Amino acid sequence: MDSAAGTTAAPLRIGLLGTGPWARNTQAPALAAHPGVELSGVWGRRSEAADALATAHGTRAYTGEEGIDALLEASDAVAFALPPDVQAPLAVRAARAGRHILMDKPVATTVEGARAVADAVAEAGVASIVFCTLRFAPETAAWIAEQTAVGGWFTARAQWLGSLYAEGSTSEYADSPWRREKGGLWDVGPHALSVLIPVLGDVEHLTAAAPGPADTTHLILRHSSGASSTVTLGLSAPRGAAGVEIEFRGEHGTASAPGWDGAETAFRGAVDALAETVRTGVPHACDARFGRHLTELLVAAETQARA
């Protein structure tokens, strides 16, 4: 088999916690179709939603507190499609039970929550992946690796504007309470940072402001390489203004991020990365520690922007 998970002797049993749009549209289909994975079950807070999603993908439904323990017992790893501050304590619980974890970004919206996850993963010695889409989509993952190898970058610009809350939007993701509360900084900020940091180095200084319309936030970053970057984030852009642009400029010229083939393909890449980490024991760069660092940066940005 071509996938990393497919090289193991037996399928990696991965349970899914969550039944919302993200689980239905991305994670459950990707896990059910992955040749190296057995979707070991679906847990949801609402039994009817868990039943429907499990039935759609030929697996078992779980609900309630006892259902979490039963799903962990039936799984080698768990994937999360839950709000970040619901995800974090359950990820700690899974790691302490010896289960590998595949988390959504952000890991948590508090430093304490993200630190607890990273600490639990380290203490249990389990594998962890934080799903930042562009780090695992084949097209953008290859492009990030290429720009990291090129080096010599002077500055970069990242703009990630969604139209989730634009007039006339019918996106089911707009019903997410945590996205509405935290805005683009927390929802799409991790994606932008997950591209800039591996290419330009860690963030040594951060300035944030929210002078734009609705939830629009602007960041100015200085990186350990000496390069600087600017980031514009939001979920309320008019539909005609929405889009993603990431560009690096340096001594070798200009490089712009390519498009990618959707979240489901990227999530399969994250599953492959988890399986590879399980097999080799070598931590992935986009793991719980990186997730903790993203939360630290976002908390600092939010604090500045609110001030």
Side-chain angles (χ1 to χ4, degrees), residues 215-242:
D215 69 316
T216 306
T217 303
H218 301 276
L219 309 178
I220 303 172
L221 310 175
R222 185 178 70 232
H223 297 266
S224 58
S225 65
S228 64
S229 65
T230 60
V231 185
T232 300
L233 307 163
L235 297 177
S236 304
R239 282 179 286 181

Side-chain angles (χ1 to χ4, degrees), residues 134 139-148 150 153 155-159 195-196 199 244-250 252-260:
L134 301 193
E139 304 89 345
T140 50
W143 180 80
I144 292 168
E146 180 183 349
Q147 307 325 310
T148 303
V150 167
W153 298 111
T155 191
R157 175 182 62 87
Q159 182 169 278
V195 176
L196 296 172
V199 178
V244 178
E245 296 179 3
I246 302 175
E247 177 185 82
F248 293 97
R249 290 179 175 267
H252 302 293
T254 302
S256 298
W260 63 95

Side-chain angles (χ1 to χ4, degrees), residues 35-49:
V37 167
E38 174 191 336
L39 178 56
S40 51
V42 172
W43 177 88
R45 286 172 285 189
R46 294 185 300 112
S47 59
E48 62 273 22

